[in-house]
Amino acid sequence: MPELVSHPEEVKVISRRWGQGAADIDKYIELGGYAALRKCIEQGPEWVINEMKTSGLRGRGGAGFPTGMKWSFVPKQSEKPKYVLVNGDESEPGTCKDHLIFLHDPHSVIEGTMIAGLAIGAKVGFIYLRGEYRYLIEIMERALAQCYERGILGKNIFGTGFDFDALSHTGAGAYEVGEESALMESLEGKRGVPRIKPPFPAVVGLYGGPTVINNAETIASVPFIIEMGGAAYAKLGTERNGGTRLFGISGKVNRPGVYELPMGYNLKKMIYEVAGGIPNGKALKAVVPGGASCPILRADEIDVGMDFDQMGKAGTMLGSAGVVVLDETVSIVEFALRTIKFYQHESCGWCIPCREGTDWLKKTMTRFYEGYGTTKDIDNMRYLAENMLGRTFCPLGDAAAMPMIGFFKKFRDEFEEYIRANPSAPESQALVELVGA
Ligand SMILES: Cc1cc2nc3c(=O)[nH]c(=O)nc-3n(C[C@H](O)[C@H](O)[C@H](O)COP(=O)(O)O)c2cc1C
């Protein structure tokens, strides 16, 4: 079981119940659980959506879309049933936060799902866990079964006339099914490839019905927002970026782990104070601030606040808040190769710019890494990655291209130095020039 870390700078909201046995319903209720749901049933859907809007909560899955606004897009009247879908696919390298929520506080996900259902008029919620999280399925299933035993799920919940059912489901280990429309395809039992948008899920989603899809951390935040009130939650963060965030810090730091810190927390402080700095007195080289798809920051660019807007201004993204720290010993060339290998492997292959783009990037990067690289390769790879941007059915193509562009832009000197340090075999060099790749 992953160890929990802790630091005095943390503001524990979502992680408040971790390590206290709250996966069991009695403990969850003892620690205040399901009171938020009762309050929401009393207050009604409009009040709930307003609280969510006031909270400034933005989606924790990566894109940072305002949650209250997303919920308000769901049509009030619908001939088809509406659904809530919780995205627990968590497969972006560097991201390791949702599994702790499922492990330590699965009822917060169930309660958040029910509140979302109440807000949009859905009677069914699905909790989708990544295929590799098999060990969490038992915990989730037990939590759901306990809710049915206590009458917290099912018909006439708390005697109020509110009905809601929730189910869990696992994927089969594909990063692509974390993309919301591919997730719906997968849940419907089809191959997990994305749908063309529009229509957006809020209007035509799962089984053709209006659907709200939110990340597990987003959903788990909901009961806490209701408990403390949207305005108080908003104040914890920065302007337009309400609340706290689970930051997963990994790589070359002394104390890796998942820390809950206010939105906007300074990245430098996070690395040097919260995560204890770089081991063995080594120097910091770079940071990937929000999961593998986010453009890299050089060591001199990390004095910046970690919220969606400040990260955007810094030329990168907050993404899924998976902070990967690289010290001076890490080769950016090798890191770039690993990154593109992941995306090439995970591309679903449905659209050509992503399938071919990731494949050519991987092939060229592999040859480059093996010592047969040329400066023209660096230009070609950057050009190729730039031409993938915005040209794929879903953002996986962007997710692969953006970090690659970042590596070439920020560390071109290291790629050039790599060519000098690893002179290619003359016959291979001639072949490279002949095929022009
Ligand atoms: C290739 C790809 C993989 C994704 N993987 C995840 C994931 O594992 N978990 C997640 O919550 N969102 C993931 N997303 C984002 C979802 O499409 C969607 O934006 C998110 O679930 C919406 O929830 P939120 O508004 O609460 O962030 C992924 C997107 C793409 C393009």
Side-chain angles (χ1 to χ4, degrees), residues 214-227:
N214 275 126
N215 169 257
E217 183 187 345
T218 313
I219 285 289
S221 308
V222 171
F224 296 104
I225 291 171
I226 299 300
E227 253 175 54

Side-chain angles (χ1 to χ4, degrees), residues 57-67 70-71 85-92 95 97-98 128 130 174-183 194 197 212-219 245 293 308 319-320 342-343 346 394-399:
L57 176 70
R58 292 171 68 173
R60 305 310 197 212
F65 195 84
T67 308
K70 186 187 270 193
W71 293 8
L85 187 41
V86 180
N87 191 341
D89 193 56
E90 186 157 75
S91 311
E92 172 110 342
T95 312
K97 60 187 180 69
D98 295 340
Y128 190 105
R130 104 176 244 188
Y175 169 66
E176 174 56 11
V177 299
E179 193 281 330
E180 56 188 23
S181 64
L183 188 75
K197 293 181 227 170
V212 149
I213 304 184
N214 275 126
N215 169 257
E217 183 187 345
T218 313
I219 285 289
R245 182 102 211 232
S293 60
F308 290 104
S320 53
F342 169 80
Y343 286 107
E346 295 297 335
C394 89
L396 195 148
D398 297 337

Side-chain angles (χ1 to χ4, degrees), residues 245-313:
R245 182 102 211 232
L246 297 173
F247 291 96
I249 312 179
S250 63
K252 305 287 189 176
V253 284
N254 281 312
R255 288 194 300 271
V258 174
Y259 297 90
E260 183 168 9
L261 295 160
M263 283 289 263
Y265 198 86
N266 184 278
L267 177 57
K268 193 172 183 178
K269 238 178 122 190
M270 196 182 293
I271 293 168
Y272 285 99
E273 291 178 27
V274 179
I278 320 294
N280 308 317
K282 297 274 187 253
L284 177 73
K285 183 186 264 188
V287 181
V288 176
S293 60
C294 301
I296 198 160
L297 293 171
R298 283 193 314 255
D300 60 356
E301 296 175 311
I302 62 159
D303 197 359
V304 56
M306 291 285 275
D307 67 25
F308 290 104
D309 301 326
Q310 294 180 69
M311 283 283 114
K313 273 192 205 140

Side-chain angles (χ1 to χ4, degrees), residues 70-91:
K70 186 187 270 193
W71 293 8
S72 69
F73 289 158
V74 175
K76 286 204 169 54
Q77 305 300 329
S78 166
E79 282 174 14
K80 298 213 172 193
K82 304 180 203 177
Y83 300 100
V84 178
L85 187 41
V86 180
N87 191 341
D89 193 56
E90 186 157 75
S91 311

Side-chain angles (χ1 to χ4, degrees), residues 19 125 155 164 181 214 235 335 344 357 362 366 400 416 420:
K155 297 258 176 272
F164 198 84
S181 64
N214 275 126
K235 272 198 206 131
F335 193 73
Q344 187 271 346
K362 187 187 99 171
T366 303
E416 288 176 353
R420 284 193 289 277

